[in-house]
Amino acid sequence: MDIVTAQEMYERDRVAMEAAGLDGKMLMENAGRAVTYDLLRHIRKEHTIVVLIGAGNNGGDGFVIARTLLNLGYDVEAWQVVPDAKITGDAEAHKRIFQASGHPYRLLKSSEDLNTSLGRADVCIDAMLGIGVKGRLKEPYVDIVRLCNEKSIVRLAVDLPSGVPADEGQEDFEAFQAHYTSIIEAPKQSAFLQHTQPYYGEWSVVEIGIPPKQLPDPRRRLWDGADVKRTLPERDAHSHKGSHGKGLIIGGSPLMPGSVAMTARASLRSGAGLIAVSTDPEAIPAISPYVQEATFVEGRDGGQVPDLEGYDGIAFGMGFGRDSKKENVVERLIEEKETPLLVDADGLYLLKGFLPALEKREAPTVLTPHPGEFAHLSGLSIKEILNSPFSHSKNFAEEHGVYLVLKGPSTIITSPDGEQRVDISGNAGLAKGGSGDVLSGILLSLMMQTEDVWDALSNGCFLHGTTADLLVQDGHSKVDLLASDVIEGLSRTFRTFSS
Ligand SMILES: NC(=O)C1=CN([C@@H]2O[C@H](COP(=O)(O)OP(=O)(O)OC[C@H]3O[C@@H](n4cnc5c(N)ncnc54)[C@H](O)[C@@H]3O)[C@@H](O)[C@H]2O)[C@H](O)CC1
Ligand SMILES: [K+]
């Protein structure tokens, strides 16, 4: 499923009309009807419904939705919240159809009247503003949105909640707080940002007849279970431990032995053939009982860096510490340019001074920062990153020729050529120490088992989050879930998604 900006959405509309001969009124009828049937899951026959209709085509959708609900016998009050003069084009055409169908509508004169109507309603459908919103809401929308948000009614939004910008990059807004949003055709970037996603509530996407084959590729898409089933490699029954990758994990320290232990165990649970751990010798007694299948390798000539040859993948950084005296490890890892390398956690802090050298590497380099670590790497503030995660991660990945996994409730996985996939699996139970170590282990393992690193990273993020979701569904809670629970839950998830 593509993820689009407002501009890309308008372009899709244009292509649909030019290439497929669809016209705006047909698209609006399709959109309104599809949204109605999608929203019916949240509406009961006995509900009183207020439909709020704005000035643009989002409002036009609102006339189609109100008409469809009335045709189905629902108790609907359609409120046009802007003067008649502002209802133009396709929206006006559908207003005429609405009226010709014998349905009345209310014209907003004072917010008191609307307040009374909302006071009697069970459901409010927001068809005021969609992707055409510019800047902060102007009156009368501010007043109306506040009235709706303070009422204890079910709030449903059409395409996106009024006031929420479609695109990343805008933090100053006031918006309709939807419980549920029915998105038209393709999710917009704001459905994936930490400061705008909450206004959507839950969301799903309705198809309105736009021909996918004719559409420009936005190079941004949602990675879902069907993609995982299609691309997760099958384990060859005649395989042997050497064929699923021999991985090296460099990290851990006497005070943080658990990190590499979880990375190693997660990697083996995800199908790695052999895992060697290079860590401070003092940490080994705390690690080996937890992951008996792992072997340990010592640094060469008493240093921290073991022999790097002969591995199918290396993961570096978890629990390693940020002591700049350890930077020689980073230099050696970059010089070992033939082996796929994943850098996480403390490794990202140590890597900062060596970013230009990454271009020397031929094998894939994967960085897996959370926003704080990405801020340190990129020099951006966390606020800037959260405001525009798509463009900042795309620019960084292209500039340094790396795969970038920017972790969060919506994890954006960017390839070195700037194409992006988003994983929205997972839950707040993952916002705990160790989650990142487990993810790194899963990613290392999948990277070694498939030619396509990007598929490996996309699938690894999805399997990690989905395991947490399955565990929370079956008995765990978001409070008690531990990173180590996710490791043990992986086998069930792999069974579900391996063909
Ligand atoms: N293929 C599709 O995606 C289809 C989408 N449809 C719906 O059309 C809207 C986009 O319609 P558009 O007319 O371009 O914009 P809006 O309806 O969002 O509103 C524009 C309207 O609002 C005024 N406005 C802009 N900013 C503000 C503000 N800050 N405060 C107050 N008013 C503002 C502006 O002046 C315009 O009058 C899309 O979201 C879908 O819902 C089609 O119906 C079907 C095909
Ligand atoms: K809306």
Side-chain angles (χ1 to χ4, degrees), residues 222-275:
L222 183 63
W223 192 254
D224 63 20
D227 294 307
V228 177
K229 279 189 186 259
R230 177 170 47 80
T231 56
L232 200 60
E234 286 194 32
R235 277 185 86 88
D236 173 358
H238 308 293
S239 60
H240 56 84
K241 63 188 174 189
S243 56
H244 298 297
K246 184 180 172 195
L248 170 64
I249 299 170
I250 304 175
S253 50
L255 296 181
M256 290 186 282
S259 50
V260 273
M262 285 192 280
T263 303
R265 190 173 175 87
S267 201
L268 289 160
R269 272 260 185 257
S270 305
L274 288 165
I275 289 292

Side-chain angles (χ1 to χ4, degrees), residues 168-347:
E168 65 178 355
Q170 188 185 325
E171 57 187 326
D172 176 25
F173 64 90
E174 188 167 354
F176 184 86
Q177 176 59 66
H179 295 105
Y180 183 87
T181 300
S182 188
I183 296 175
I184 293 170
E185 171 61 20
K188 287 61 180 183
Q189 287 183 323
S190 56
F192 304 95
L193 308 184
Q194 288 191 30
H195 64 295
T196 46
Q197 190 282 326
Y199 285 88
Y200 281 77
E202 280 180 50
W203 54 264
S204 70
V205 180
V206 295
E207 189 270 339
I208 66 168
I210 291 178
K213 288 195 185 70
Q214 314 279 10
L215 295 175
D217 178 3
R219 306 188 81 238
R220 224 181 285 114
R221 59 190 299 265
L222 183 63
W223 192 254
D224 63 20
D227 294 307
V228 177
K229 279 189 186 259
R230 177 170 47 80
T231 56
L232 200 60
E234 286 194 32
R235 277 185 86 88
D236 173 358
H238 308 293
S239 60
H240 56 84
K241 63 188 174 189
S243 56
H244 298 297
K246 184 180 172 195
L248 170 64
I249 299 170
I250 304 175
S253 50
L255 296 181
M256 290 186 282
S259 50
V260 273
M262 285 192 280
T263 303
R265 190 173 175 87
S267 201
L268 289 160
R269 272 260 185 257
S270 305
L274 288 165
I275 289 292
V277 175
S278 166
T279 187
D280 186 307
E282 276 181 53
I284 292 178
I287 298 169
S288 58
Y290 179 67
V291 55
Q292 289 157 350
E293 297 82 355
T295 58
F296 291 85
V297 288
E298 283 183 336
R300 245 173 23 182
D301 48 66
Q304 279 116 8
V305 191
D307 209 358
L308 298 177
E309 277 71 44
Y311 293 102
D312 302 297
I314 300 173
F316 163 64
M318 49 296 297
F320 193 66
R322 300 177 189 174
D323 178 346
S324 56
K325 288 203 284 298
K326 297 183 171 185
E327 284 181 351
N328 65 309
V329 182
V330 182
E331 286 170 315
R332 286 286 319 286
L333 285 167
I334 289 175
E335 282 156 17
E336 169 43 55
K337 46 182 178 292
E338 307 302 321
T339 309
L341 170 66
L342 181 147
V343 182
D344 185 31
D346 293 339

